[in-house]
Amino acid sequence: MLDHLIKGATVVDGTGAPAYIADVGIRGGRIAVIAEPGTTVEEARSSEDAQGRVLAPGFVDPHTHYDAQLFWDPYATPSLNHGVTTVAGGNCGFTLAPLNPARPEDADYTRRMMSKVEGMSLVALEEGAPWSWSSFGEYLDALEGRVAVNAGFMVGHCALRRYVMGADAVGGQPSPEQMEEMLRLFHDAMDAGAWGLSTTQSSTHSDGDGQPVASRHAKPDELLALSRAVAEHEGTQLEAIVAGCLDQFSDDEIDLFVEMSAAAGRPLNWNVLTIDAAVPERVPRQLVASERARKSGGRIVALTMPILTPMNMSLGTFCALNLIPGWGDVLGLPVPERIAKLRDPEVRGEMLRRADSKEAGVFRRLTHFDRYVIGDTYSRENEGLTGRVVGDIAAERGQEAFQCLVEICANDDLRTVLWPMPSDNDPGSWALRQETWQHEDVMLGGSDAGAHLDRMCGAPYTTRFIGDCLRGRKLLGLEQAVKMLTDDPAQLFGLRERGRIEEGFHADLVLFDPERIDAGKATLVHDLPGDSPRLDSKAIGVNAVWVNGVEAIREDRVTGATPGTVLRSGRDTRTVSTK
């Protein structure tokens, strides 16, 4: 007997093949039947009429930071609401494990680092996760059986270094004995099911003490030794971040990526390729890494977002503005001193000069202050400004835009919420995206879901992208759009029997209304441990989501079921060789 029968759905199977009408039956967590409508003779415990609805494979998000959130939110919201059934975590060199049991203080260091570098609530980290593990395997075991999504995790280089080197991980180099211990620890993690290595060399990544995170101190020999270790395990990967990911790679960064991928014999993915017609040289430069890798026996895949992610800013709390060269020194001051500095015309002038320099890279996109929209305000002086554009207010007041923005924020003691309007929402940029998505080494993703919770909301990229393909810009057909969200990332990670609607595959499915599918406006909610805030977005037109054959979402509400699997390398992933 079938567990559930979905009747008369428009099946988009993830392969890119034309859609077709079929009945799809689920049994024992797998897709058991795909048949002509009305021809299924096997009885089903439950069924539903899906005429006019699209049935697609569950979406695969290749870049998340749900490592901590899954403990207090096993449903990985809002990703699951938006049809994501599989998430890849442990990215950017940051994981919660392994932790050295001889140094209990390492857990506190890790929490403060994650709070700073990934914008996670420190209170939520402290109260929402058990911190009961030492080894990476114990961390995976702590999640097993209690999550609603399928989740796989890389091992963070920072955690490996901290475990072996302690405080010397920041600033130090491992001795031969320490390097041997790091490799042993890494092999143990992959034996337990870790997907491979993630690391960062990005200049924007600092720990809770304001110091460069541990992996930024690693030299190429260390990175290549770890990469070679990846090659010894089935179904493993590399994920890496360098400073040039934000704008344009240096030759040394390209050489490093190429050598790491070739040494591992595995794909390396990086995040995120920013596509902007105003900087036409960026995409060709970034894809040089992929071209060189293929010639050297490796493969380098760029992740890029198919939507413009809603993001808010503030002069009062750490955000992307702090990462503009020279701005962190001012925005890191105590609030009264910060306001005084920001009101100084000379200081503002120097900040704007630095923000417009080449060294600011992709952060130059954040400095069109006349295009910022005022969000929440907190003072009588700012009444009526919510929803207004800074450029319009500045014109009324006879002020320069940044000066105007500073005065508005100062009235709120810098608590004002700011929404920068994207500068790359032009036809030329969308045409360049459409072209770039066709490249064999470009993949959709980079949501950062689970991180920067009160600053951005990338999780709904799946539904917003499909809605745009169906009813908006229509840059891609539905079948190709679904393939890019399902089978493409499943193939990159070597996921076994996931990413397609095919008999015998795991029943990870999403049913949606093609006339309505979309993502709602990002709104601030307070539902994290400690009443901490995050941005959320409602799923529109998603009728149901099944994970391993069990209904996990119905009409944007979680069912309470936790049918997800901790996906372990080798068992749940096959090797995707580059050779």
Side-chain angles (χ1 to χ4, degrees):
M1 176 177 284
L2 297 173
D3 297 322
H4 189 65
L5 182 63
I6 304 165
K7 299 187 292 186
T10 300
V11 175
V12 179
D13 67 8
T15 67
Y20 59 93
I21 310 297
D23 293 347
V24 176
I26 301 169
R27 186 195 317 113
R30 301 270 183 164
I31 298 169
V33 174
I34 303 175
E36 290 282 339
T39 64
T40 303
V41 296
E42 189 173 354
E43 291 187 9
R45 291 185 176 86
S46 60
S47 65
E48 64 184 291
D49 182 359
Q51 285 188 320
R53 303 292 191 261
V54 171
L55 186 68
F59 307 133
V60 179
D61 189 335
H63 189 102
T64 79
H65 290 278
Y66 277 125
D67 308 54
Q69 183 176 326
L70 286 171
F71 285 105
W72 63 78
D73 172 21
Y75 314 106
T77 61
S79 291
L80 182 63
N81 303 67
H82 293 270
V84 173
T85 57
T86 297
V87 300
N91 287 295
C92 301
F94 308 122
T95 48
L96 310 188
L99 293 172
N100 194 321
R103 289 194 305 271
E105 65 271 18
D106 282 6
D108 178 65
Y109 172 85
T110 300
R111 288 189 289 265
R112 291 187 299 107
M113 178 184 71
M114 298 298 275
S115 177
K116 175 67 177 292
V117 79
E118 292 298 345
M120 298 177 182
S121 161
L122 183 58
V123 174
L125 287 167
E126 291 172 339
E127 298 181 2
W131 299 93
S132 55
W133 52 83
S134 170
S135 71
F136 198 85
E138 288 170 345
Y139 165 77
L140 296 180
D141 291 344
L143 287 170
E144 193 70 78
R146 53 160 294 144
V147 293
V149 293
N150 305 308
F153 298 90
M154 310 290 281
V155 184
H157 191 180
C158 291
L160 293 173
R161 269 189 147 237
R162 180 78 186 191
Y163 187 107
V164 172
M165 300 174 65
D168 290 340
V170 173
Q173 298 302 316
S175 67
E177 294 77 18
Q178 287 175 322
M179 192 66 230
E180 187 175 325
E181 173 67 5
M182 204 184 305
L183 287 168
R184 182 199 63 76
L185 194 65
F186 186 38
H187 283 300
D188 286 349
M190 287 187 287
D191 285 339
W195 281 17
L197 176 73
S198 75
T199 188
T200 179
Q201 299 267 300
S202 175
S203 56
T204 64
H205 287 157
S206 300
D207 65 14
D209 301 317
Q211 299 300 311
V213 296
S215 65
R216 286 178 59 186
H217 303 276
K219 296 188 181 302
D221 284 351
E222 179 180 333
L223 290 162
L224 292 175
L226 290 165
S227 298
R228 285 190 290 270
V230 171
E232 299 181 34
H233 297 266
E234 185 179 2
T236 47
Q237 295 274 323
L238 291 168
E239 187 268 347
I241 307 291
V242 293
C245 290
L246 289 173
D247 190 15
Q248 295 178 51
F249 293 134
S250 68
D251 287 335
D252 287 345
E253 290 171 335
I254 291 174
D255 289 344
L256 177 63
F257 273 11
V258 169
E259 290 171 13
M260 287 176 66
S261 179
R266 301 286 189 273
L268 179 154
N269 76 81
W270 63 272
N271 174 66
V272 59
L273 174 60
T274 303
I275 302 172
D276 186 345
V279 192
E281 67 274 15
R282 179 183 294 137
V283 170
R285 174 60 180 176
Q286 298 303 69
L287 295 181
V288 165
S290 299
E291 295 163 10
R292 290 189 190 170
R294 288 191 175 274
K295 293 176 182 177
S296 301
R299 187 184 178 202
I300 294 171
V301 177
L303 303 187
T304 190
M305 286 288 275
I307 67 165
L308 300 177
T309 305
M311 181 182 300
N312 68 38
M313 300 288 165
S314 168
L315 297 181
T317 56
F318 187 88
C319 67
L321 292 173
N322 294 65
L323 303 178
I324 298 172
W327 283 49
D329 295 339
V330 176
L331 298 184
L333 294 170
V335 169
E337 297 176 40
R338 199 181 316 171
I339 291 174
K341 284 285 188 182
L342 288 168
R343 280 177 162 160
D344 184 330
E346 290 188 9
V347 172
R348 286 200 310 273
E350 176 62 13
M351 291 174 72
L352 290 173
R353 186 191 69 76
R354 296 289 299 275
D356 194 43
S357 67
K358 182 173 177 54
E359 63 179 333
V362 73
F363 295 111
R364 291 195 297 269
R365 293 162 15 109
L366 299 177
T367 58
H368 301 281
F369 295 109
D370 59 322
R371 293 171 55 85
Y372 274 54
V373 173
I374 301 299
D376 295 342
T377 63
Y378 299 90
S379 64
R380 181 180 56 79
E381 292 89 341
N382 287 341
E383 286 180 6
L385 295 185
T386 296
R388 295 201 61 194
V389 178
V390 169
D392 294 340
I393 303 169
E396 292 172 4
R397 298 181 178 183
Q399 294 176 320
E400 180 270 328
F402 188 42
Q403 177 191 10
C404 178
L405 182 145
V406 164
E407 289 303 323
I408 292 169
C409 294
N411 289 336
D412 287 333
D413 291 326
L414 305 186
R415 297 170 62 202
T416 319
V417 174
L418 306 169
W419 292 92
M421 293 298 100
S423 59
D424 52 352
N425 195 22
D426 58 294
S429 293
W430 284 106
L432 184 56
R433 290 187 184 99
Q434 182 183 35
E435 176 187 345
T436 305
W437 295 340
Q438 307 306 318
H439 193 283
E440 60 183 338
D441 291 319
V442 172
M443 190 170 73
L444 300 189
S447 74
D448 257 3
H452 313 294
L453 297 177
D454 63 342
R455 288 281 165 256
M456 60 178 283
C457 192
Y461 76 98
T462 50
T463 51
R464 184 167 286 128
F465 172 58
I466 288 180
D468 192 45
C469 288
L470 286 169
R471 304 182 310 277
R473 298 176 186 87
K474 300 181 180 180
L475 299 180
L476 293 176
L478 176 61
E479 291 87 349
Q480 183 64 18
V482 168
K483 179 179 183 290
M484 294 171 78
L485 296 175
T486 58
D487 192 52
D488 284 358
Q491 292 292 329
L492 179 72
F493 293 132
L495 297 182
R496 297 185 188 271
E497 299 168 337
R498 297 187 193 276
R500 297 181 182 180
I501 295 180
E502 184 175 316
E503 288 187 1
F505 270 47
H506 296 280
D508 297 337
L509 302 165
V510 54
L511 183 69
F512 61 86
D513 181 351
E515 299 298 322
R516 298 180 56 238
I517 185 169
D518 203 347
K521 181 182 177 182
T523 57
L524 200 65
V525 297
H526 291 259
D527 63 355
L528 300 181
D531 200 36
S532 300
R534 66 167 177 153
L535 287 171
D536 192 16
S537 171
K538 298 296 184 184
I540 299 169
V542 175
N543 305 112
V545 180
W546 292 266
V547 179
N548 296 312
V550 176
E551 186 177 294
I553 292 285
R554 176 62 67 170
E555 302 299 341
D556 202 32
R557 292 184 177 274
V558 299
T559 64
T562 52
T565 297
V566 175
L567 299 175
R568 301 184 190 240
S569 59
R571 185 193 72 183
D572 300 302
T573 62
R574 59 175 174 80
T575 294
V576 179
S577 178
T578 61
K579 299 175 181 175

